Amino acid sequence: GSNTKRQAVCVCCFVTLQPQPHRTPTPSTCTLSFKLLPSQAIMAMAEAPMEEVIDEEDIGGPMLVQRLEANGVSAGDIQKLHDAGLYTVEAVAYAPKKLLTSIKGFSDQKADKLIAEASKLVPMGFTTASEFHQRRQEIIQISCGSHELNKLLQGGIETGSITEIFGEFRTGKTQLCHTLAVTCQLPLDRGGGEGKCLYIDTEGTFRPERLLAVADRYGLSGQDVLDNVAYARAYNSDHQRSLLIQASAMMAESRYALLIVDSATSLFRTDYSGRGELSARQMALAQFLRMLLRIADEFGVAVVITNQVVAQVDGMNMFNPDPKKPIGGNIIAHASTTRLSLRKGRGETRICKIYDSPCLPESEAVFAIGADGVSDAQE
């Protein structure tokens, strides 16, 4: 069923919690599992014996890696997994064996045991298309602030996947990110995700006052909105990747709906220069994008990255009305689930085009950038 018609209930103390984007999270206030249940089932659940309440098939959301201790994994090994940035059972199950064996003290046999135990808890086999379709129906989408833009995206920014936004300077990339950082905190019935936001800034363009303006528009407490946005400035490409490890730790402890990286490629462009370092740059960029995809898979958050463009200088420019293309090549093209192209319109209006998507038709929408963030363009 729809997440909006269900309530998340802790199965140890029957405390009603709010649903999480894409999946049910592990709450920071209670380390035991909880599940989404119809409202009318809550009273019956409270009267049921505890062993009947806990049903492994119904429990959703990321499982903390400490759960592997019950399967024979020592506390010391759990700490080593934490040090390597693996905070959930899903992270261990999705990790290649080579990554686990690179952890100090982990032999091939220990890596095989970890993968085997994690695979018992995380479903990684085949499923029917109808079951997958049912899960897709429950995916939450985050409003962009503009009805036309939401209509173009058939609801908004999708959780559990990577959305890339690229365009020239002054096309609205950063302003859209600021708006999403607020709308992700809205209730589900208002187009939000009922979660916090993680914001990684590589260009020094993050402005909290823009968040306050958007919060006023939606009638939210400005202080609460700012407290629910975790901000970090990345100073080089290595630091940018290390911030994702910290992000995983924070998401394992609290509920987040959105991860923003603005911009994902700028530091890679400066840290790796010239054709001689192109291969190393693409490899490092691919590893960073893979970490983003793993976070989207583990925690079910929406991942939004912005990208810069570069002008094509080959001889085919005379036949191309718009010779600019997003940087990163095929590496970033394949990693992004949905790619949105922004360009300038008249005055404060901007035009968003579906550049690439597995399910959205190629189309355009016009929106505006105002004092209160992204909104619909006035006729």
Side-chain angles (χ1 to χ4, degrees):
S2 171
N3 281 348
T4 58
K5 298 179 181 178
R6 296 185 170 213
Q7 289 180 292
V9 178
C10 177
V11 298
C12 71
C13 53
F14 307 117
V15 176
T16 301
L17 303 164
Q18 294 296 329
Q20 166 79 349
H22 189 66
R23 297 179 184 174
T24 308
T26 302
S28 57
T29 56
C30 179
T31 56
L32 296 183
S33 305
F34 69 104
K35 58 183 80 173
L36 291 176
L37 289 177
S39 300
Q40 60 267 28
I42 296 175
M43 294 305 297
M45 173 179 148
E47 299 171 358
M50 183 59 65
E51 56 269 20
E52 295 180 10
V53 170
I54 301 177
D55 181 1
E56 288 291 334
E57 294 181 356
D58 291 335
I59 296 175
M63 295 173 283
L64 294 181
V65 76
Q66 286 89 332
R67 188 163 180 175
L68 291 176
E69 288 191 61
N71 295 52
V73 180
S74 68
D77 289 341
I78 296 295
Q79 184 57 48
K80 290 178 181 178
L81 291 173
H82 282 175
D83 295 339
L86 304 175
Y87 295 91
T88 65
V89 178
E90 286 84 356
V92 177
Y94 300 155
K97 182 180 177 181
K98 182 173 69 173
L99 175 62
L100 295 178
T101 54
S102 67
I103 301 174
K104 186 177 180 180
F106 279 18
S107 62
D108 286 350
Q109 292 77 12
K110 185 172 289 187
D112 289 335
K113 178 185 177 183
L114 282 170
I115 293 174
E117 296 301 332
S119 299
K120 293 177 183 177
L121 300 174
V122 180
M124 297 177 64
F126 286 97
T127 184
T128 63
S130 61
E131 291 176 356
F132 184 70
H133 178 66
Q134 179 62 31
R135 292 204 300 268
R136 288 276 308 166
Q137 297 302 308
E138 298 182 356
I139 287 180
I140 292 170
Q141 293 174 307
I142 300 172
S143 171
C144 300
S146 163
H147 294 294
E148 289 299 317
L149 205 49
N150 290 338
K151 184 179 178 182
L152 176 72
L153 298 173
Q154 296 183 4
I157 300 295
E158 185 179 278
T159 54
S161 63
I162 298 177
T163 300
E164 176 196 352
I165 304 170
F166 68 87
E168 291 183 274
F169 67 96
R170 215 172 66 83
T171 53
K173 303 186 297 295
T174 298
Q175 297 304 317
L176 181 54
C177 289
H178 280 73
T179 302
L180 288 169
V182 177
T183 59
C184 74
Q185 304 178 36
L186 291 170
L188 296 176
D189 55 7
R190 295 183 63 188
E194 293 184 352
K196 300 179 183 179
C197 172
L198 266 166
Y199 200 114
I200 298 177
D201 178 18
T202 67
E203 299 177 334
T205 54
F206 178 76
R207 296 293 182 269
E209 50 268 31
R210 297 294 293 145
L211 300 184
L212 293 175
V214 180
D216 287 342
R217 167 185 167 188
Y218 287 99
L220 300 176
S221 166
Q223 188 60 49
D224 290 342
V225 165
L226 295 182
D227 290 341
N228 287 332
V229 176
Y231 166 79
R233 174 75 188 275
Y235 295 98
N236 58 64
S237 56
D238 292 333
H239 183 216
Q240 185 174 327
R241 279 180 288 181
S242 69
L243 287 173
L244 292 189
I245 298 178
Q246 297 181 37
S248 296
M250 295 169 66
M251 290 182 183
E253 296 175 354
S254 187
R255 291 170 40 203
Y256 284 85
L258 177 65
L259 169 60
I260 296 172
V261 186
D262 181 29
S263 117
T265 53
S266 62
L267 294 178
F268 289 95
R269 292 184 78 178
T270 54
D271 291 356
Y272 301 88
S273 57
R275 290 187 177 273
E277 294 185 304
L278 179 61
S279 176
R281 185 192 82 175
Q282 292 299 88
M283 188 177 300
L285 182 59
Q287 292 172 350
F288 175 75
L289 293 169
R290 182 65 189 89
M291 293 175 72
L292 286 177
L293 187 59
R294 192 189 76 189
I295 287 175
D297 288 336
E298 279 182 57
F299 302 101
V301 300
V303 176
V304 173
I305 61 175
T306 66
N307 193 8
Q308 301 173 344
V309 295
V310 63
Q312 294 177 286
V313 293
D314 52 33
M316 298 299 292
N317 278 352
M318 63 182 69
F319 306 108
N320 188 356
D322 186 15
K324 294 172 290 295
K325 64 177 182 179
I327 69 170
N330 292 326
I331 293 291
I332 198 166
H334 290 303
S336 302
T337 306
T338 304
R339 309 186 79 190
L340 305 178
S341 171
L342 301 185
R343 68 179 190 271
K344 301 169 189 170
R346 292 182 178 179
E348 296 299 319
T349 62
R350 302 292 185 268
I351 301 169
C352 177
K353 178 182 179 181
I354 302 291
Y355 191 80
D356 179 40
S357 172
C359 58
L360 300 176
E362 185 172 312
S363 185
E364 294 183 349
V366 179
F367 65 96
I369 300 174
D372 55 359
V374 171
S375 59
D376 287 322
Q378 300 297 321
E379 294 294 338

